[in-house]
Amino acid sequence: MTGIGVVTVAPIGGFAGWLWVDASRGNGGHLSFSAPLRIPPLLAPAPGSGRTTKQFRLNLQEGVSELIPGRRTPTWGANGSYLGPTIRVNRGDRVHMHVTNRLRQTTTLHWHGMHLPAQMDGGPHQLIAPGRTWSPQWTIEQPATTLWYHPHLHSLTAEHVYRGIAGLFLIDDGDTRLPHTYGVDDVPLIIQDKNFNDDGTLSTEGIKFGGINVTGLLGDRILINGTYDPFFRVTTTLARFRLLNGSNARVYDIGFADGRNFQLVGTDGGLLPAPLALKRLMLSPGERAEIVVAFKPGEKVVLRSFAPDLQSNFLFEQLAGGGDEMDLLRFVAAPQLRPSPPLPSALATVPPIRPAANAPVTRMVMGDFTFNDKTMDMKRVDHVATASSVGVWEVKNDQDIPHNFHMHGVTFQVLDLDRRTPPPHMRGNKDTVIVPPGSTVRLGVSYLRYSDPIRPYMFHCHILAHEDSGMMGQFLTVSPADRVRVPKSLPHNHG
């Protein structure tokens, strides 16, 4: 690895010991689980919506929230002071979004994981100036899944997400065999870590990469749906939890304090073919997972993030949060539970993404917050793909710190990790994947049908300080006819 030279001398003497102790932010034993878990409201379609054509309005705004009891914290949110409502639609719906920016800063709003034209994607090219409204529209053309939305302003994504704008975007396809009553047995869990100043304001110290900061901000307070110290009252024998790692940088290794199994039923891109029994599940920033958990009447159990194995060296492991064990929330089962239908043994048909033997291979090396030694340039095209085709992306982490990799405008499947078959939990449809230090992941990438010779999709590390430091690129998907229209340089803002 090159770069971050100041860190390479840190293991000398007492300085290394100080760093080791100072970097640990575990909260084990410090929570009382006294706050009822907040459930983000479902956003009702706006007037004028029909059965299959739905309009939604989001106002991005500033506010004040009581995230820590007794403290008033200036925050951002959508249709409220913190986070945003959950949007729920059906496959086949025509969606019209109206996003009004009532902040004092320009921002964007990206539909993470959504299959839609690049012009509607909400990446760094689709700017929303203060007081303006952006109105993208598209048709929902993907299977049931858990997606999310968040700002994506170039070089300021970390701060805008950290201040609170984020929400879930759920797609249904008519299959109701899994628990599906929102907020009862189908429950969102947006996991975030924060640091607070003494006056209750959010501390943004370390939100940018630099010095001994190898990931950006790692917080010592965990919020679930904006709730600190939460519990959730379970009322059914089975409950489905939609997990989102909405943190800027922290990697979670999620499991239960009593070591029980849970069933993984879905990943970033949709349901799995069948439930997968697990005890632990690692989620890097931006990743989602759907799990189903069985409960007994009257029991209490803590959902926890165990210290993740980031596969880094001794020092960077600690600086990146590898030594942190975090309690997340407590589940409290009612004395009597309503029986749930049994979990189906088969969930969804997930066709394998099989690139042809001669499929084009795109190679990306993660360097010092670069891809192939280049930082993000809004006018540069890093790759041109054929719409509706399948390709291979080979992504290598050439550093000693953890990264992950997210692509807009595609579905991908992990073909192999260091030339080995990926573990079962990584074999479904995905859009974000962790890339451990020194590792190489090969992805089978299915490009969308939309052709646009000037409006790109992004690829980037979803550790937001890395993204903001330039660890991002862009690609076009074009039809054969449109390929001749690809310019040498892209316009900066062409929403």
Side-chain angles (χ1 to χ4, degrees):
M1 170 186 169
T2 60
I4 323 181
V6 66
V7 180
T8 62
V9 301
I12 300 174
F15 186 46
W18 172 80
L19 282 174
W20 185 266
V21 173
D22 184 69
S24 181
R25 297 172 178 84
N27 69 356
H30 296 293
L31 300 183
S32 60
F33 305 106
S34 58
L37 179 70
R38 297 172 185 147
I39 304 296
L42 284 172
L43 181 61
S49 298
R51 187 175 64 85
T52 59
T53 300
K54 295 175 181 175
Q55 300 196 44
F56 296 98
R57 300 188 183 278
L58 290 173
N59 293 312
L60 310 183
Q61 61 194 69
E62 299 180 18
V64 176
S65 305
E66 189 174 299
L67 300 178
I68 301 298
R71 299 185 187 180
R72 292 171 58 82
T73 301
T75 53
W76 292 1
N79 294 6
S81 62
Y82 189 74
L83 295 181
T86 297
I87 301 168
R88 195 161 199 170
V89 298
N90 295 309
R91 189 175 189 177
D93 283 350
R94 184 69 181 172
V95 173
H96 298 245
M97 303 299 304
H98 304 282
V99 183
T100 300
N101 181 8
R102 302 193 185 281
L103 304 170
R104 290 172 287 179
Q105 300 183 32
T106 295
T107 192
T108 78
L109 200 65
H110 165 56
W111 320 106
H112 183 125
M114 189 70 71
H115 294 181
L116 75 180
Q119 183 179 5
M120 313 298 175
D121 186 57
H125 291 281
Q126 287 88 44
L127 302 176
I128 315 173
R132 302 298 297 271
T133 297
W134 178 54
S135 298
Q137 53 183 285
W138 68 93
T139 300
I140 303 296
E141 296 181 341
Q142 61 197 104
T145 191
T146 299
L147 311 178
W148 67 302
Y149 58 88
H150 63 81
H152 207 300
L153 186 66
H154 182 40
S155 80
L156 287 172
T157 297
E159 181 178 344
H160 286 205
V161 173
Y162 182 71
R163 293 195 180 278
I165 296 178
L168 292 187
F169 203 127
L170 310 183
I171 297 175
D172 295 324
D173 64 4
D175 188 344
T176 59
R177 295 175 300 159
L178 291 173
H180 60 276
T181 303
Y182 182 77
V184 178
D185 63 359
D186 185 357
V187 182
L189 299 179
I190 301 173
I191 309 169
Q192 301 169 303
D193 59 334
K194 308 290 182 187
N195 288 324
F196 292 87
N197 298 314
D198 291 341
D199 63 358
T201 57
L202 286 171
S203 171
T204 57
E205 183 179 358
I207 201 167
K208 296 286 189 180
F209 161 75
I212 62 171
N213 177 353
V214 298
T215 64
L217 187 146
L218 294 173
D220 58 10
R221 304 285 185 100
I222 300 295
L223 304 180
I224 310 294
N225 300 347
T227 314
Y228 177 68
D229 201 14
F231 73 90
F232 178 74
R233 186 172 173 82
V234 176
T235 57
T236 55
T237 55
L238 292 179
R240 174 189 193 177
F241 300 101
R242 299 177 186 258
L243 305 171
L244 161 64
N245 183 345
S247 292
N248 282 35
R250 185 175 292 283
V251 177
Y252 300 96
D253 188 12
I254 293 173
F256 286 88
D258 64 358
R260 70 179 59 192
N261 284 339
F262 55 86
Q263 301 293 324
L264 179 68
V265 297
T267 54
D268 302 330
L271 298 178
L272 297 177
L276 176 63
L278 296 174
K279 290 186 181 294
R280 300 278 188 86
L281 178 65
M282 190 174 293
L283 289 180
S284 65
E287 286 188 285
R288 289 90 62 211
E290 298 183 32
I291 65 173
V292 174
V293 186
F295 294 96
K296 297 178 180 178
E299 69 175 344
K300 299 178 182 179
V301 63
V302 171
L303 186 68
R304 176 172 294 164
S305 174
F306 295 85
D309 179 8
L310 302 178
Q311 301 180 40
S312 187
N313 63 38
F314 175 81
L315 180 59
F316 289 175
E317 184 83 12
Q318 189 73 3
L319 290 173
D324 299 350
E325 188 165 290
M326 315 293 289
D327 286 342
L328 303 179
L329 79 160
R330 174 181 285 164
F331 294 110
V332 179
Q336 293 184 334
L337 300 177
R338 187 172 71 253
S340 303
L343 190 64
S345 58
L347 297 173
T349 300
V350 184
I353 298 176
R354 291 196 180 105
N358 63 346
V361 179
T362 304
R363 292 181 172 87
M364 289 290 164
V365 177
M366 296 170 149
D368 282 347
F369 311 104
T370 61
F371 284 103
N372 293 351
D373 297 321
K374 296 176 182 179
T375 56
M376 172 65 177
D377 182 339
M378 295 278 281
K379 295 183 178 181
R380 187 185 67 239
V381 177
D382 296 288
H383 179 65
V384 180
T386 301
S388 301
S389 70
V390 173
V392 175
W393 282 57
E394 185 176 285
V395 183
K396 180 180 180 181
N397 181 351
D398 205 30
Q399 294 193 301
D400 291 331
I401 61 177
H403 290 298
N404 72 358
F405 185 72
H406 169 56
M407 296 184 73
H408 299 200
V410 305
T411 290
F412 65 66
Q413 293 175 2
V414 179
L415 301 176
D416 54 64
L417 175 60
D418 292 331
R419 297 291 175 175
R420 296 189 295 270
T421 301
H425 70 275
M426 294 178 66
R427 296 179 194 170
N429 287 337
K430 292 184 64 60
D431 56 57
T432 309
V433 64
I434 194 165
V435 188
S439 295
T440 299
V441 296
R442 288 197 322 128
L443 310 174
V445 177
S446 178
Y447 298 103
L448 302 183
R449 64 179 177 85
Y450 308 107
S451 177
D452 195 321
I454 64 169
R455 298 177 179 89
Y457 296 107
M458 303 293 112
F459 62 89
H460 57 89
C461 178
H462 215 286
I463 295 176
L464 299 184
H466 296 176
E467 173 188 334
D468 283 351
S469 296
M471 201 169 189
M472 180 162 64
Q474 48 192 10
F475 67 96
L476 298 167
T477 59
V478 295
S479 65
D482 279 343
R483 188 171 285 266
V484 297
R485 299 174 55 208
V486 174
K488 292 183 179 179
S489 180
L490 297 176
H492 176 74
N493 180 22
H494 43 60

